[in-house]
Amino acid sequence: MTNLSVNINKIATIRNARGENRPDLLEVAMDCERFGAQGITVHPRPDERHIRRDDVYRLRPLVKTEFNIEGYPSPEFMELVLQVRPEQVTLVPDAPDAITSSAGWDVEGNMEFLTGIVEQLRDAGIRSSIFTGTDPQAIRMAAKTGADRVELYTKPYADLYPTDPEAAVTPFVEAADTAFKCGLGVNAGHDLSLENLEWFHRHIPRLSEVSIGHALVCDALYLGLEETIRRYRQALAH
């Protein structure tokens, strides 16, 4: 089974726009689980423009499925995750002012740094996932850091899918095969949607998890949150 983890950053963005507590981020997270999501993802950034540090602390006792915290492993981020102890931490190479994740790690160029971070997470009993592209060498190096999983950056797939779905998915199939041979679990995320998710999953059925936020929240504006989560779960059931 491939788990659906709902990234609730966009819910926090809407809440923050009015400076009040509507929508209630904690209530939405619990509803996502109640409607069938198998995980909740957050990506706190230094400027707290969506998820705030306080949100992370308040979510921890409420999330009953799997809590995944994404972020650049700065000292402040590591302090947060080592206190909160989520089930998984996804390491991304974002600059502090990045709008969204836009590339995977240069794992080889950051080998010593990432190995030390992974070791800290492992010692705390936290599963680690390294955000990568499809380059086989980067994936092999990710395995050498001691990480448990990689998360494949799927925007290139989403961009090419409308015109050539076979060509879009092929490098991701090869990347996943490399990861599996290295003993890594495989997650995926970025611009996956109801339009392209089923095709992706059909070709990589051994995915452990997909993390989806922006597209899912957009779909929920029209379909409602419960129906949207049902459809995403259905896309992962084939």
Side-chain angles (χ1 to χ4, degrees):
M1 176 182 286
T2 301
N3 287 344
L4 171 66
S5 186
V6 176
N7 187 319
I8 58 173
N9 277 19
K10 285 297 183 294
I11 303 299
T13 300
I14 297 170
R15 176 201 62 187
N16 295 353
R18 290 290 294 266
E20 299 173 353
N21 191 39
R22 187 173 184 184
D24 186 320
L25 187 78
L26 306 184
E27 184 177 344
V28 172
M30 290 184 288
D31 283 341
C32 287
E33 292 186 319
R34 185 163 58 88
F35 297 151
Q38 295 131 318
I40 299 295
T41 291
V42 295
H43 187 151
R45 296 181 184 275
D47 60 7
E48 296 193 322
R49 64 179 180 269
H50 35 63
I51 295 294
R52 301 167 180 156
R53 288 177 66 93
D54 183 57
D55 293 328
V56 179
Y57 289 114
R58 292 190 299 148
L59 280 164
R60 171 68 284 191
L62 298 178
V63 174
K64 304 304 181 187
T65 54
E66 182 170 289
F67 198 20
N68 172 45
I69 303 179
E70 301 178 344
Y72 178 81
S74 65
E76 295 77 15
F77 177 84
M78 292 302 295
E79 177 187 33
L80 175 66
V81 299
L82 291 174
Q83 289 176 352
V84 172
R85 303 287 181 98
E87 282 74 25
Q88 178 175 268
V89 167
T90 301
L91 306 172
V92 298
D94 292 358
D97 59 349
I99 295 175
T100 186
S101 302
S102 58
W105 282 95
D106 171 7
V107 183
E108 191 165 6
N110 292 275
M111 190 70 182
E112 184 177 353
F113 174 63
L114 288 171
T115 300
I117 295 295
V118 167
E119 183 176 350
Q120 289 183 61
L121 296 173
R122 183 174 59 248
D123 289 346
I126 302 169
R127 183 172 68 240
S128 58
S129 179
I130 294 179
F131 198 62
T132 71
T134 56
D135 176 38
Q137 178 63 7
I139 293 169
R140 284 190 286 267
M141 297 304 290
K144 290 184 178 181
T145 68
D148 302 290
R149 296 183 184 179
V150 290
E151 178 171 327
L152 300 178
Y153 170 60
T154 49
K155 179 173 172 54
Y157 163 76
D159 288 346
L160 185 56
Y161 173 82
T163 56
D164 194 341
E166 193 68 47
V169 81
T170 295
F172 290 88
V173 173
E174 295 170 352
D177 286 344
T178 299
F180 294 141
K181 289 174 182 175
C182 292
L184 291 167
V186 178
N187 298 339
H190 205 96
D191 285 358
L192 293 174
S193 68
L194 286 177
E195 287 71 34
N196 60 40
L197 180 59
E198 184 176 342
W199 178 261
F200 189 84
H201 183 253
R202 184 187 305 173
H203 287 78
I204 313 174
R206 293 168 59 195
L207 279 173
S208 294
E209 174 188 291
V210 293
S211 174
I212 304 177
H214 185 80
L216 190 149
V217 172
C218 290
D219 290 330
L221 293 175
Y222 293 91
L223 302 173
L225 185 59
E226 183 172 8
E227 175 64 13
T228 297
I229 289 175
R230 187 192 71 79
R231 293 193 189 190
Y232 275 91
R233 286 287 306 277
Q234 186 177 40
L236 295 170
H238 296 288

